[in-house]
Amino acid sequence: MEFAEVVRRRRMVRNYDPDRPVPPDVVDRLLDHAVRAPSAGFAQGWGFLVLEEPADRERFWAATTPEGGGRERWLAGMRRAPLIVVPHANESAYLQRYAEPDKGWTDRSTNRWPVPYWHVDTGFAAMLMLLTAVDEGLGACFFGIAPQRLASYRDAFGVPAEYQPIGAVTIGYRAPDHRSPSLRRGRRGMDEVVRRGRWS
């Protein structure tokens, strides 16, 4: 598929065919492309938890679903995904990398960073998975883990303290799903979001 078509087709998919697992070679490609994302100082401070087994996926949903829900239709389709990948950012990997002689920020202060690049870079990796899914004929959805459920998620999967999940990605073969009501807002025009030469 041409790259422009991959970008055009990318959307968040919220319902999957539970009877079609993602082939192992495709899972490997998703991860191989993710780790080719750019990273500050080539720190590569990310970690990916891959959940393919039904018991692992069920443990994920049990650990991360907020009490009271109210999103049953969304959750029903998402729970059918045969693959969940949770990208994690590791701030300490960046602080350590930039304390090395070629960078020289030996104080390891986060104040030197204009934005937390460990989150940015892990987001780049997640986007490469989303695009790879489209290229492989799959659907995918990136979504957040509720803050009040992070402790139960960490406990369920033994996630080390230095790794922070930036969200999760469900991946699988698309099944019919509903369009997000947010799409009614329409895509903002280029004249609204692009400034050339000067902001105003």
Side-chain angles (χ1 to χ4, degrees):
M1 190 181 303
E2 292 292 328
F3 181 70
E5 184 70 5
V6 170
V7 172
R8 190 186 68 76
R9 289 189 181 192
R10 194 224 47 82
R11 62 179 289 263
M12 296 301 185
V13 171
R14 297 171 177 84
N15 193 22
Y16 302 90
D17 182 343
D19 299 320
R20 295 183 69 191
V22 179
D25 60 317
V26 175
V27 176
D28 290 344
R29 266 193 299 281
L30 287 161
L31 297 166
D32 180 60
H33 291 181
V35 300
R36 292 176 181 276
S39 65
F42 207 41
Q44 306 166 77
W46 42 53
F48 304 90
L49 179 64
V50 180
L51 305 174
E52 298 174 273
E53 295 300 321
D56 292 333
R57 297 192 316 264
E58 181 54 40
R59 190 167 359 119
F60 172 84
W61 293 116
T64 61
T65 303
E67 301 297 332
R71 305 173 73 186
E72 287 75 16
R73 184 171 72 159
W74 178 86
L75 187 58
M78 294 287 277
R79 287 179 72 113
R80 293 186 186 109
L83 173 64
I84 303 168
V85 179
V86 186
H88 299 75
N90 183 347
E91 174 186 308
S92 63
Y94 285 75
L95 302 184
Q96 175 60 36
R97 169 67 185 102
Y98 275 75
E100 292 175 14
D102 63 321
K103 300 295 183 185
W105 295 354
T106 55
D107 60 2
R108 292 176 171 79
S109 172
T110 57
N111 294 332
R112 294 180 177 275
W113 295 82
V115 296
Y117 274 84
W118 37 97
H119 293 158
V120 173
D121 295 347
T122 307
F124 287 155
M127 176 56 88
L128 286 177
M129 283 192 287
L130 295 175
L131 294 174
T132 301
V134 174
D135 194 48
E136 295 286 347
L138 299 166
C141 184
F142 179 91
F143 59 100
I145 298 173
Q148 66 270 28
R149 304 302 295 176
L150 286 175
S152 61
Y153 163 74
R154 287 181 176 283
D155 290 345
F157 294 99
V159 178
E162 65 267 25
Y163 285 92
Q164 180 180 5
I166 65 157
V169 183
T170 50
I171 303 164
Y173 290 94
R174 291 175 59 175
D177 65 350
H178 61 283
R179 288 173 59 83
S180 168
S182 298
L183 294 176
R184 294 188 198 115
R185 297 167 54 87
R187 193 174 303 281
R188 293 176 67 190
M190 294 289 278
D191 58 338
E192 292 182 80
V193 298
V194 175
R195 307 292 183 269
R196 298 182 188 269
R198 185 177 171 84
W199 195 268
S200 60

